[in-house]
Amino acid sequence: MTKKKIWELEGKILELKKKRDAVILAHNYQLAEVQDVADYRGDSLELSRIAAKTDAKVIVFCGVHFMAETASILSPDKKVIMPDIVSGCPMANMLSANDLKKLKKEHPKAVSVGYVNTSAEVKAELDYCCTSTNAVAVVNALRDYEEIIFVPDKYLADFVSKRTGRKLISWKGFCPTHIKILPEDIRREKRFHPAAKVMVHPECLSQVVDMADAALSTSQMGKFAKESDAKEFIVGTEVGIIYRLKQDNPDKEFYPASERAVCPNMKRTTQEKILWALEELKEEVRVPDDIRKRAKRAIDRMLEIV
Ligand code: CIZ
Ligand code: SF4
């Protein structure tokens, strides 16, 4: 697209956003053109909390389906729409509510903790929700339980288990994007940038997490980059975050650990689709009330801990 076309589109989005009383939220992994028109950027929970606080009537959620669902769970009176309703999270899709029910039946004494990357139906079956920012804190708070189910990401489970010293009953889920980052990628980038700090997401392969200076969620990466004395960073997560890190820290350099770490679902949303969504107020994501109430319990319990 030409620059002029982009400005025209951005202008139209801005105008229509006001008319519709809408706010645009973009996940840290979204395309630069989407981040550019967003009112707020953040990780899934940060965005859902913003959605709950805003006075706007319409939330345009640029991310994947479970994130829009989480926003709807926390703000049922608002209209949550996704510019691309097909954008899902393969990891979230690796665990169904029935899978979890079965796992709970096999371990009747266990307390169940689930990553935010799960469907609303799965959250409704969970005792606690967690994010990559607070997973360690949530598991540490469950000392009174002998057994802990931790789903769906086996790599996040491994990370949390190592940090808490707790044995976890995990699931076979994983993020197809983060596992593309390989130990040899980290070794190569370290050779190119010997002074750089390595920060990776705990969804990465355990071997990759073990090689990093820090394993952090995307919101924690933003903080770490700002507060660290280092001037260069090797970033082991979805490449979309590099755009934001560079904007927020213009005097620092950020190198993707692997250019292959692209989440195709996160890249489906475009400015054009945002405009269409605002025009038609579609596609709406709404969680049925019975599921919403039970799913919210798991989120509230997490918020009580952190
Ligand atoms: O919770 C999120 O937004 C995800 C999936 C990643 C992260 O660490 O921000
Ligand atoms: Fe899901 Fe991975 Fe994409 Fe995040 S990067 S939305 S965990 S597939």
Side-chain angles (χ1 to χ4, degrees):
M1 255 191 296
T2 63
K3 269 237 154 71
K4 183 159 177 284
K5 187 102 190 280
I6 290 172
W7 287 332
E8 271 174 26
L9 250 178
E10 288 187 5
K12 280 186 192 164
I13 289 170
L14 214 68
E15 205 178 295
L16 200 54
K17 189 181 73 175
K18 278 197 200 122
K19 214 157 117 191
R20 297 282 194 237
D21 192 6
V23 65
I24 301 175
L25 309 183
H27 190 267
N28 291 326
Y29 296 159
Q30 289 285 298
L31 288 176
E33 65 173 62
V34 172
Q35 297 194 32
D36 283 346
V37 293
D39 296 292
Y40 299 96
R41 299 183 285 190
D43 66 21
S44 55
L45 191 67
E46 281 174 336
L47 294 177
S48 291
R49 291 175 110 169
I50 291 165
K53 270 199 227 141
T54 174
D55 291 330
K57 280 202 197 79
V58 177
I59 314 286
V60 182
F61 208 111
C62 306
V64 292
H65 196 261
F66 79 82
M67 297 178 179
E69 273 188 338
T70 309
S72 169
I73 290 167
L74 293 180
S75 16
D77 50 333
K78 286 169 196 149
K79 191 170 180 126
V80 179
I81 57 174
M82 281 183 79
D84 188 303
I85 193 77
V86 178
S87 304
C89 167
M91 181 207 285
N93 294 341
M94 288 176 192
L95 176 76
S96 70
N98 275 339
D99 292 331
L100 179 55
K101 278 185 201 166
K102 216 170 134 221
L103 195 61
K104 280 166 57 175
K105 231 184 216 152
E106 286 163 17
H107 304 276
K109 278 196 260 151
V111 63
S112 58
V113 182
Y115 193 21
V116 66
N117 296 36
T118 44
S119 67
E121 286 83 2
V122 167
K123 285 191 181 76
E125 299 299 326
L126 288 169
D127 296 312
Y128 289 85
C129 184
C130 75
T131 66
S132 37
T133 304
N134 61 35
V136 169
V138 169
V139 168
N140 270 333
L142 302 176
R143 278 198 199 89
D144 293 345
Y145 295 90
E146 245 168 65
E147 286 184 283
I148 303 176
I149 290 172
F150 190 98
V151 292
D153 185 3
K154 60 179 173 186
Y155 297 109
L156 183 65
D158 187 49
F159 167 77
V160 173
S161 178
K162 279 182 188 153
R163 297 291 158 112
T164 60
R166 296 295 306 263
K167 208 167 154 242
L168 300 173
I169 300 158
S170 57
W171 188 249
K172 56 195 172 195
F174 61 91
C175 166
T177 296
H178 281 86
I179 65 158
K180 292 207 176 88
I181 301 166
L182 303 175
E184 64 225 51
D185 292 322
I186 305 289
R187 275 195 288 272
R188 183 196 59 242
E189 291 307 312
K190 273 173 91 159
R191 263 201 314 276
F192 286 149
H193 313 288
K197 285 257 185 254
V198 181
M199 52 183 184
V200 307
H201 199 281
E203 285 173 24
C204 288
L205 297 173
S206 307
Q207 258 178 298
V208 167
V209 171
D210 290 344
M211 292 166 79
D213 294 302
L216 305 167
S217 70
T218 61
S219 55
Q220 289 171 327
M221 282 183 187
K223 248 186 158 175
F224 183 76
K226 208 170 261 171
E227 288 166 8
S228 167
D229 292 334
K231 290 278 176 236
E232 295 175 282
F233 300 84
I234 295 162
V235 184
T237 190
E238 212 279 344
V239 296
I241 198 177
I242 303 272
Y243 181 67
R244 177 174 181 180
L245 288 172
K246 277 195 176 148
Q247 276 191 333
D248 291 349
N249 306 276
D251 57 329
K252 299 186 177 184
E253 293 296 332
F254 300 91
Y255 315 108
S258 167
E259 299 276 1
R260 283 194 300 264
V262 178
C263 175
N265 284 281
M266 282 285 180
K267 303 305 188 226
R268 293 181 60 91
T269 306
T270 59
Q271 283 195 353
E272 248 159 353
K273 289 183 189 172
I274 293 173
L275 184 63
W276 297 334
L278 281 167
E279 273 171 357
E280 302 189 11
L281 288 181
K282 277 192 200 158
E283 297 284 332
E284 187 170 5
V285 175
R286 182 171 284 280
V287 178
D289 233 28
D290 53 326
I291 292 176
R292 186 186 75 77
K293 280 186 190 140
R294 288 194 293 139
K296 187 165 181 297
R297 264 191 338 210
I299 298 173
D300 287 343
R301 286 200 190 112
M302 161 184 80
L303 296 176
E304 275 164 30
I305 292 175
V306 298

